[in-house]
């Protein structure tokens, strides 16, 4: 299902308030049993919707102070079929293992200049590792729309592929079976 920006932010409640959102779909939790069900039901994270410059500055200050890796994801609204990779950036999601919440920065509410001003220094800070999955389009969108040059980015998709290939190569070269 595709929701509009307003439907998404209304679903989280009033802007700036913390809501608990379930990471695992309820259907998956209902079908699981035993330890799996207990694990899935524990996957709740406080989510803070960030829609003002002051809230964005506070959230990014907290994230930057962790001096650890930060999970980052970007969402964009694709409004054309000509260049779907360059949809308008709408949300930036940030989470650090040292801060028990997910920050969702509303790029549309902030506006391009304020988004660049508040999020740019974080994305360009080489002292903080930013972990993204398949980050090509995210980095391209940040660069094209906000002139950001993200630094110290780890693409988890490439990392997983490299680990997999290393494992396969190690097993093959040892003569062992993968099974």
């Amino acid at each position: 299902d595709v929701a509009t920006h307003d439907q998404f932010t209304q679903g989280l409640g009033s802007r700036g308030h913390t809501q608990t959102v379930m990471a695992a779909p309820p259907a998956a939790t209902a079908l699981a049993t035993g330890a799996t069900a207990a694990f899935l039901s524990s996957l709740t994270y406080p989510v803070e919707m960030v829609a003002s410059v002051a809230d964005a500055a506070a959230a990014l200050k907290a994230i930057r102070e962790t001096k650890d890796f930060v999970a980052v994801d970007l969402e964009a609204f694709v409004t054309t079929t000509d260049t779907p990779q360059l949809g308008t950036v709408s949300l930036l999601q940030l989470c650090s293992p040292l801060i028990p919440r997910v920050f969702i920065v509303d790029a549309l509410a902030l506006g391009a200049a304020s988004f660049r001003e508040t999020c740019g220094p974080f994305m360009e800070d080489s002292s903080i590792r930013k972990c993204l999955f398949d980050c090509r389009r995210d980095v391209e969108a940040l660069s094209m729309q906000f002139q950001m040059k993200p630094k110290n980015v780890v693409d988890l998709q490439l990392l997983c592929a490299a680990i997999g290939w290393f494992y396969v190569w190690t097993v093959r070269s040892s003569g062992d079976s993968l099974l």
Side-chain angles (χ1 to χ4, degrees), residues 22-36:
M22 221 164 133
T29 305
L31 294 174
T33 60
T36 304

Side-chain angles (χ1 to χ4, degrees), residues 8-46:
F8 178 79
T9 55
Q10 287 171 3
L12 285 178
S14 301
R15 293 179 188 257
H17 287 84
T18 301
Q19 297 286 324
T20 300
V21 176
M22 221 164 133
T29 305
L31 294 174
T33 60
T36 304
F39 172 74
L40 288 175
S41 67
S42 72
L43 292 178
T44 57
Y45 303 94

Side-chain angles (χ1 to χ4, degrees), residues 105-170:
V105 180
D106 188 336
L108 298 176
L110 290 177
S114 295
F115 183 78
R116 167 73 177 114
E117 179 183 311
T118 56
C119 298
F122 163 76
M123 292 303 294
E124 295 173 344
D125 185 344
S126 61
S127 70
I128 299 172
R129 184 176 309 130
K130 288 155 274 308
C131 299
L132 291 94
F133 189 87
D134 190 18
C135 66
R136 295 169 296 172
R137 298 297 186 208
D138 292 351
V139 170
E140 180 182 14
L142 289 171
S143 177
M144 297 295 292
Q145 295 176 36
F146 304 104
Q147 295 70 51
M148 289 184 199
K149 305 281 188 264
K151 293 182 175 63
N152 199 3
V153 173
V154 175
D155 188 333
L156 297 175
Q157 183 181 36
L158 291 176
L159 182 62
C160 288
I163 290 170
W165 280 108
F166 177 76
Y167 176 73
V168 168
W169 179 84
T170 302

